[in-house]
Amino acid sequence: MKTCRICSQLFTVDDEDRQFYEKLKVPEPTDCPSCRDRARLAFRNERYYYPRSCDHCKKGIISIYDPEHVKNVYCHTCFWSDQWDPRTYGQDFDEKRPFFQQYHELLQKAPKLAMMSDNGTGSENCEYTYDIAYGKNSYLVIGSWHFQDCYYGFQINYDKDCIDNYFVNESELMYNSLFCEKCYNCQDCMQCEGSNDCIFGFDLKGCRDCLLSAGLRHKQYYIGNRPYSKEEYFKKKAALQLDSWKKREQHRQKFEEFLKKIPRRYANLPSCEDCTGDNIAHSKNSKECYAHRNLHNCKWMTNGYGAKDCYECYSTSTPELCYNCITPDNSYNVIFSVFCWKSQFMAYSDNCHSSHDLFGCVGMKRAEYAILNKAYSKEKYEKLVPKVIENMENYQEWGQFFSPAVTPFAYNESAAYEWYPLDGNKAKELGYRWQPNLPGSFGKETISWEKVSDSINDIQETSTLGKGKEIFHCIACGRNFKILQKEFRFYKKGAIPLPRHCIDCRYYARKKRANPRQLWERGCEKCSAKVMTTYAPNRPETIYCQKCYETIQS
């Protein structure tokens, strides 16, 4: 057992972990998995965007970087162009100073990409999206690829015409759903697969036209897990008045109470072998992973699609032998880095692409053998890197992710705050910056909810509401938000009442429906077999192992 140097919690490093660290020639971690995760997430700003000017071409852009705190930010066109050379920002390594301090100086002055996406190249009309690729006509989508006409999605891949979803793959016309795959025209569903036209569903497989139901297999015309004739089903569905916001909220609460009485599978691990975690699929020998697919020999991987022999990477696709990184997509042997794509043998770098053998670099493209953006011959590079590592060891930096002082984001601006909430004083005590005024408007609504019909069926597309011209206030936090014209048409087509909450409150409500990224040992309540589950021991749900759960599936 080891004691975390930050929070003093005990954590383990097993023999398999040691083999992985030895393969990468990195030291064993001194921080617990949660503190390591928080350090990484402090380098992602997923939800707060700022209008500013490109510091190269001066055109107006949208960026994740607050112009009051971060300088030298480039638009996509300028960043990816050959009009500037990142090597001009190169600096000599100083053996007498901490490496993180020198890297921070480089990060502050080197150009940064305004928004991590391929908008304008692989993606089209996706200006307000973050960490995406191959999208089209979408808005406020995060950590996703291959999607079209989608709004407010997180980890939605190969999707079309979807709004307000979390980790939904290969689906169409989905609304407010989580961890679903190959579904069509479903609303308020979770852990469903191959199902169509379902509303308020949990763990439905191959179902059609099911409402307020859970654990069904290949069923049609069910409400509350009870079968009906086709005529009875549609008559009762109409009586539920799901087009009404008040009625739908009542059904949502009743469904939550209904689910507490339904036995749950200990974890959602379809087509997995020797895996632990939750909501991972088609994976093998991967432990404590969450919201991922196609993992092989991995640990502590979160949010992504494909990885092999990787530890502790967040929101990524097909990396191999990568460790403690943010989004090392299609990369090999990249460690302690942020957004380095299609690269090999890199360490402690940010936004470097199609490169190899870089250490402590920022914004490099198609580069090789550079330290702090200064290019070297292969021989000099290989001779200097051990000296840099020795310096980092002396300052207790080697093997740690970047220190809090390095991140360009305030703590409450970053994804770290979402997963590991701290107040401003505690964040500052740990070395993070705090932003007292995050983006968002209040008190600028143009219409009150009292003047908006409860039913979407009563609102016409020709009205100011239908044309997306009104500004609303969130009934939970008071923040202003709009319902765009295309968004309204989606609600109208699906008979979905207009949301009364802002996009952030809706996102956090979806996320709250998912279990925490933490495992507890529990016994199956039917056969007493031991399982590792994300259902805490004090939760009211009945938990079954996979074998026992299969015996009760309808």
Side-chain angles (χ1 to χ4, degrees), residues 176-215:
N176 200 30
S177 296
L178 299 84
F179 309 117
C180 293
E181 186 172 311
K182 295 182 174 67
C183 290
Y184 178 85
N185 195 33
C186 294
Q187 304 169 15
D188 294 286
C189 286
M190 183 171 175
Q191 294 185 4
C192 295
E193 181 179 350
S195 296
N196 297 359
D197 304 299
C198 297
I199 304 177
F200 291 118
F202 182 88
D203 190 29
L204 305 178
K205 302 290 190 288
C207 294
R208 299 179 59 119
D209 298 297
C210 291
L211 300 173
L212 301 160
S213 295

Short mmCIF file of all heavy atoms in Angstrom, two decimals, residues 176-215:
data_model
loop_
_atom_site.label_atom_id
_atom_site.label_comp_id
_atom_site.label_asym_id
_atom_site.label_seq_id
_atom_site.Cartn_x
_atom_site.Cartn_y
_atom_site.Cartn_z
N ASN A 176 -31.88 12.93 -24.65
CA ASN A 176 -31.68 12.82 -23.20
C ASN A 176 -31.42 11.39 -22.75
O ASN A 176 -32.03 10.90 -21.80
CB ASN A 176 -32.89 13.39 -22.45
CG ASN A 176 -32.55 13.75 -21.02
OD1 ASN A 176 -31.42 14.11 -20.70
ND2 ASN A 176 -33.52 13.66 -20.14
N SER A 177 -30.49 10.72 -23.42
CA SER A 177 -30.21 9.32 -23.13
C SER A 177 -28.73 9.11 -22.82
O SER A 177 -27.88 9.92 -23.18
CB SER A 177 -30.63 8.45 -24.32
OG SER A 177 -32.04 8.53 -24.52
N LEU A 178 -28.44 7.98 -22.15
CA LEU A 178 -27.08 7.68 -21.72
C LEU A 178 -26.73 6.23 -22.07
O LEU A 178 -27.57 5.33 -21.95
CB LEU A 178 -26.93 7.83 -20.21
CG LEU A 178 -27.18 9.16 -19.53
CD1 LEU A 178 -28.65 9.38 -19.24
CD2 LEU A 178 -26.38 9.22 -18.23
N PHE A 179 -25.50 6.02 -22.48
CA PHE A 179 -24.93 4.69 -22.65
C PHE A 179 -25.82 3.80 -23.52
O PHE A 179 -26.10 2.64 -23.18
CB PHE A 179 -24.69 4.03 -21.28
CG PHE A 179 -23.91 4.88 -20.33
CD1 PHE A 179 -24.46 5.32 -19.14
CD2 PHE A 179 -22.62 5.27 -20.63
CE1 PHE A 179 -23.75 6.11 -18.26
CE2 PHE A 179 -21.89 6.07 -19.75
CZ PHE A 179 -22.46 6.49 -18.56
N CYS A 180 -26.25 4.33 -24.63
CA CYS A 180 -27.09 3.57 -25.56
C CYS A 180 -26.33 3.33 -26.86
O CYS A 180 -25.44 4.09 -27.22
CB CYS A 180 -28.39 4.32 -25.86
SG CYS A 180 -29.50 4.46 -24.43
N GLU A 181 -26.71 2.28 -27.56
CA GLU A 181 -26.01 1.89 -28.78
C GLU A 181 -27.01 1.33 -29.79
O GLU A 181 -27.90 0.56 -29.44
CB GLU A 181 -24.95 0.84 -28.43
CG GLU A 181 -24.05 0.45 -29.58
CD GLU A 181 -22.91 -0.44 -29.13
OE1 GLU A 181 -22.24 -0.08 -28.13
OE2 GLU A 181 -22.68 -1.49 -29.76
N LYS A 182 -26.83 1.79 -31.04
CA LYS A 182 -27.64 1.29 -32.14
C LYS A 182 -29.14 1.42 -31.86
O LYS A 182 -29.93 0.49 -32.06
CB LYS A 182 -27.30 -0.17 -32.44
CG LYS A 182 -25.88 -0.40 -32.95
CD LYS A 182 -25.62 -1.86 -33.28
CE LYS A 182 -24.27 -2.07 -33.92
NZ LYS A 182 -23.14 -1.78 -33.01
N CYS A 183 -29.54 2.59 -31.38
CA CYS A 183 -30.95 2.85 -31.09
C CYS A 183 -31.50 3.92 -32.04
O CYS A 183 -30.75 4.69 -32.63
CB CYS A 183 -31.12 3.31 -29.64
SG CYS A 183 -30.82 2.00 -28.43
N TYR A 184 -32.80 3.97 -32.14
CA TYR A 184 -33.46 4.92 -33.04
C TYR A 184 -34.70 5.50 -32.37
O TYR A 184 -35.54 4.76 -31.83
CB TYR A 184 -33.86 4.22 -34.35
CG TYR A 184 -34.59 5.12 -35.33
CD1 TYR A 184 -33.88 5.93 -36.21
CD2 TYR A 184 -35.98 5.16 -35.37
CE1 TYR A 184 -34.53 6.76 -37.12
CE2 TYR A 184 -36.65 5.99 -36.26
CZ TYR A 184 -35.92 6.79 -37.13
OH TYR A 184 -36.58 7.62 -38.02
N ASN A 185 -34.78 6.82 -32.37
CA ASN A 185 -35.97 7.53 -31.89
C ASN A 185 -36.36 7.12 -30.47
O ASN A 185 -37.50 6.76 -30.19
CB ASN A 185 -37.15 7.29 -32.84
CG ASN A 185 -38.28 8.28 -32.61
OD1 ASN A 185 -38.04 9.43 -32.24
ND2 ASN A 185 -39.51 7.83 -32.81
N CYS A 186 -35.39 7.22 -29.58
CA CYS A 186 -35.65 6.91 -28.16
C CYS A 186 -35.42 8.16 -27.32
O CYS A 186 -34.58 9.00 -27.64
CB CYS A 186 -34.74 5.78 -27.68
SG CYS A 186 -35.08 4.18 -28.45
N GLN A 187 -36.16 8.26 -26.23
CA GLN A 187 -36.07 9.42 -25.34
C GLN A 187 -35.94 8.97 -23.89
O GLN A 187 -36.59 8.01 -23.47
CB GLN A 187 -37.33 10.29 -25.48
CG GLN A 187 -37.63 10.75 -26.89
CD GLN A 187 -39.02 11.36 -27.02
OE1 GLN A 187 -39.66 11.69 -26.02
NE2 GLN A 187 -39.48 11.51 -28.25
N ASP A 188 -35.07 9.65 -23.15
CA ASP A 188 -34.92 9.37 -21.72
C ASP A 188 -34.63 7.89 -21.46
O ASP A 188 -35.23 7.26 -20.60
CB ASP A 188 -36.17 9.81 -20.96
CG ASP A 188 -36.37 11.31 -20.98
OD1 ASP A 188 -35.62 11.99 -20.27
OD2 ASP A 188 -37.24 11.79 -21.73
N CYS A 189 -33.67 7.35 -22.22
CA CYS A 189 -33.31 5.94 -22.07
C CYS A 189 -31.88 5.83 -21.56
O CYS A 189 -31.07 6.73 -21.68
CB CYS A 189 -33.45 5.21 -23.41
SG CYS A 189 -35.17 4.91 -23.88
N MET A 190 -31.57 4.65 -21.00
CA MET A 190 -30.25 4.41 -20.44
C MET A 190 -29.88 2.94 -20.61
O MET A 190 -30.72 2.06 -20.38
CB MET A 190 -30.23 4.81 -18.97
CG MET A 190 -28.87 4.68 -18.30
SD MET A 190 -28.90 5.42 -16.64
CE MET A 190 -27.27 5.00 -16.05
N GLN A 191 -28.66 2.70 -21.07
CA GLN A 191 -28.13 1.35 -21.27
C GLN A 191 -29.05 0.51 -22.15
O GLN A 191 -29.28 -0.68 -21.89
CB GLN A 191 -27.91 0.66 -19.91
CG GLN A 191 -26.82 1.32 -19.08
CD GLN A 191 -26.51 0.58 -17.79
OE1 GLN A 191 -27.06 -0.48 -17.53
NE2 GLN A 191 -25.64 1.15 -16.97
N CYS A 192 -29.54 1.11 -23.21
CA CYS A 192 -30.39 0.40 -24.17
C CYS A 192 -29.60 0.11 -25.44
O CYS A 192 -28.70 0.86 -25.81
CB CYS A 192 -31.63 1.22 -24.50
SG CYS A 192 -32.73 1.45 -23.07
N GLU A 193 -29.96 -0.96 -26.12
CA GLU A 193 -29.23 -1.37 -27.32
C GLU A 193 -30.22 -1.93 -28.35
O GLU A 193 -31.12 -2.71 -28.01
CB GLU A 193 -28.19 -2.43 -26.98
CG GLU A 193 -27.37 -2.89 -28.16
CD GLU A 193 -26.33 -3.92 -27.78
OE1 GLU A 193 -26.11 -4.13 -26.57
OE2 GLU A 193 -25.72 -4.51 -28.69
N GLY A 194 -30.05 -1.49 -29.60
CA GLY A 194 -30.86 -2.03 -30.69
C GLY A 194 -32.35 -1.83 -30.49
O GLY A 194 -33.15 -2.68 -30.92
N SER A 195 -32.73 -0.72 -29.88
CA SER A 195 -34.15 -0.48 -29.58
C SER A 195 -34.66 0.75 -30.32
O SER A 195 -33.90 1.69 -30.58
CB SER A 195 -34.36 -0.32 -28.08
OG SER A 195 -34.04 -1.52 -27.40
N ASN A 196 -35.95 0.75 -30.63
CA ASN A 196 -36.58 1.84 -31.38
C ASN A 196 -37.83 2.33 -30.65
O ASN A 196 -38.55 1.55 -30.02
CB ASN A 196 -37.02 1.37 -32.78
CG ASN A 196 -35.87 0.93 -33.65
OD1 ASN A 196 -34.71 0.99 -33.25
ND2 ASN A 196 -36.19 0.50 -34.86
N ASP A 197 -38.07 3.63 -30.75
CA ASP A 197 -39.34 4.23 -30.31
C ASP A 197 -39.67 3.90 -28.86
O ASP A 197 -40.81 3.54 -28.52
CB ASP A 197 -40.47 3.78 -31.23
CG ASP A 197 -40.20 4.11 -32.69
OD1 ASP A 197 -40.07 5.30 -33.00
OD2 ASP A 197 -40.07 3.17 -33.50
N CYS A 198 -38.68 4.03 -27.99
CA CYS A 198 -38.88 3.78 -26.56
C CYS A 198 -38.70 5.09 -25.78
O CYS A 198 -37.86 5.92 -26.14
CB CYS A 198 -37.90 2.74 -26.04
SG CYS A 198 -38.11 1.10 -26.80
N ILE A 199 -39.47 5.25 -24.73
CA ILE A 199 -39.38 6.43 -23.87
C ILE A 199 -39.34 5.96 -22.42
O ILE A 199 -40.13 5.11 -22.02
CB ILE A 199 -40.58 7.37 -24.09
CG1 ILE A 199 -40.70 7.78 -25.55
CG2 ILE A 199 -40.45 8.62 -23.21
CD1 ILE A 199 -41.90 8.66 -25.87
N PHE A 200 -38.42 6.53 -21.65
CA PHE A 200 -38.18 6.10 -20.28
C PHE A 200 -37.91 4.59 -20.25
O PHE A 200 -38.73 3.79 -19.79
CB PHE A 200 -39.35 6.47 -19.37
CG PHE A 200 -39.50 7.94 -19.13
CD1 PHE A 200 -40.64 8.62 -19.51
CD2 PHE A 200 -38.48 8.66 -18.52
CE1 PHE A 200 -40.77 9.99 -19.30
CE2 PHE A 200 -38.60 10.03 -18.30
CZ PHE A 200 -39.75 10.70 -18.70
N GLY A 201 -36.74 4.23 -20.75
CA GLY A 201 -36.35 2.83 -20.77
C GLY A 201 -35.00 2.63 -20.12
O GLY A 201 -34.12 3.50 -20.19
N PHE A 202 -34.83 1.49 -19.48
CA PHE A 202 -33.55 1.14 -18.86
C PHE A 202 -33.21 -0.30 -19.22
O PHE A 202 -34.02 -1.22 -19.00
CB PHE A 202 -33.63 1.29 -17.33
CG PHE A 202 -32.34 0.98 -16.62
CD1 PHE A 202 -31.40 1.98 -16.43
CD2 PHE A 202 -32.05 -0.31 -16.17
CE1 PHE A 202 -30.19 1.70 -15.78
CE2 PHE A 202 -30.85 -0.59 -15.53
CZ PHE A 202 -29.91 0.42 -15.34
N ASP A 203 -32.03 -0.50 -19.81
CA ASP A 203 -31.55 -1.83 -20.16
C ASP A 203 -32.57 -2.57 -21.03
O ASP A 203 -32.94 -3.72 -20.76
CB ASP A 203 -31.22 -2.64 -18.90
CG ASP A 203 -30.50 -3.94 -19.24
OD1 ASP A 203 -29.79 -3.99 -20.26
OD2 ASP A 203 -30.67 -4.92 -18.49
N LEU A 204 -32.99 -1.92 -22.09
CA LEU A 204 -33.85 -2.55 -23.09
C LEU A 204 -32.99 -3.01 -24.26
O LEU A 204 -32.20 -2.24 -24.79
CB LEU A 204 -34.92 -1.58 -23.58
CG LEU A 204 -35.82 -0.92 -22.52
CD1 LEU A 204 -36.79 0.05 -23.17
CD2 LEU A 204 -36.57 -1.98 -21.72
N LYS A 205 -33.16 -4.26 -24.67
CA LYS A 205 -32.40 -4.80 -25.78
C LYS A 205 -33.35 -5.30 -26.85
O LYS A 205 -34.22 -6.14 -26.59
CB LYS A 205 -31.50 -5.96 -25.30
CG LYS A 205 -30.52 -5.57 -24.19
CD LYS A 205 -29.42 -4.64 -24.68
CE LYS A 205 -28.32 -4.46 -23.63
NZ LYS A 205 -28.72 -3.66 -22.48
N GLY A 206 -33.20 -4.76 -28.05
CA GLY A 206 -34.02 -5.21 -29.17
C GLY A 206 -35.50 -4.96 -28.99
O GLY A 206 -36.34 -5.72 -29.48
N CYS A 207 -35.85 -3.87 -28.30
CA CYS A 207 -37.26 -3.57 -28.02
C CYS A 207 -37.78 -2.47 -28.92
O CYS A 207 -37.03 -1.64 -29.43
CB CYS A 207 -37.43 -3.16 -26.55
SG CYS A 207 -37.08 -4.50 -25.39
N ARG A 208 -39.09 -2.44 -29.10
CA ARG A 208 -39.76 -1.39 -29.87
C ARG A 208 -41.02 -0.97 -29.11
O ARG A 208 -41.71 -1.79 -28.51
CB ARG A 208 -40.16 -1.87 -31.25
CG ARG A 208 -39.02 -2.34 -32.15
CD ARG A 208 -39.57 -2.82 -33.48
NE ARG A 208 -40.31 -1.75 -34.14
CZ ARG A 208 -39.99 -1.25 -35.32
NH1 ARG A 208 -38.93 -1.71 -35.95
NH2 ARG A 208 -40.70 -0.29 -35.87
N ASP A 209 -41.30 0.32 -29.18
CA ASP A 209 -42.55 0.83 -28.60
C ASP A 209 -42.73 0.34 -27.16
O ASP A 209 -43.72 -0.33 -26.82
CB ASP A 209 -43.74 0.39 -29.46
CG ASP A 209 -43.68 0.95 -30.86
OD1 ASP A 209 -43.73 2.18 -31.01
OD2 ASP A 209 -43.55 0.16 -31.82
N CYS A 210 -41.78 0.71 -26.32
CA CYS A 210 -41.88 0.38 -24.90
C CYS A 210 -41.75 1.67 -24.08
O CYS A 210 -40.93 2.53 -24.39
CB CYS A 210 -40.80 -0.60 -24.48
SG CYS A 210 -41.01 -2.27 -25.18
N LEU A 211 -42.56 1.79 -23.03
CA LEU A 211 -42.57 2.97 -22.18
C LEU A 211 -42.37 2.58 -20.72
O LEU A 211 -42.88 1.55 -20.27
CB LEU A 211 -43.91 3.70 -22.30
CG LEU A 211 -44.33 4.23 -23.67
CD1 LEU A 211 -45.76 4.76 -23.60
CD2 LEU A 211 -43.39 5.32 -24.11
N LEU A 212 -41.59 3.39 -20.02
CA LEU A 212 -41.47 3.24 -18.57
C LEU A 212 -41.14 1.79 -18.18
O LEU A 212 -41.70 1.24 -17.23
CB LEU A 212 -42.78 3.67 -17.90
CG LEU A 212 -43.21 5.12 -18.17
CD1 LEU A 212 -44.68 5.31 -17.90
CD2 LEU A 212 -42.38 6.08 -17.33
N SER A 213 -40.20 1.20 -18.92
CA SER A 213 -39.91 -0.23 -18.74
C SER A 213 -38.41 -0.46 -18.58
O SER A 213 -37.59 0.37 -18.99
CB SER A 213 -40.44 -1.03 -19.93
OG SER A 213 -41.85 -0.97 -19.99
N ALA A 214 -38.07 -1.61 -17.99
CA ALA A 214 -36.66 -1.93 -17.72
C ALA A 214 -36.41 -3.42 -17.86
O ALA A 214 -37.29 -4.24 -17.55
CB ALA A 214 -36.28 -1.47 -16.31
N GLY A 215 -35.21 -3.77 -18.33
CA GLY A 215 -34.77 -5.16 -18.38
C GLY A 215 -35.48 -6.03 -19.39
O GLY A 215 -35.40 -7.27 -19.28
#
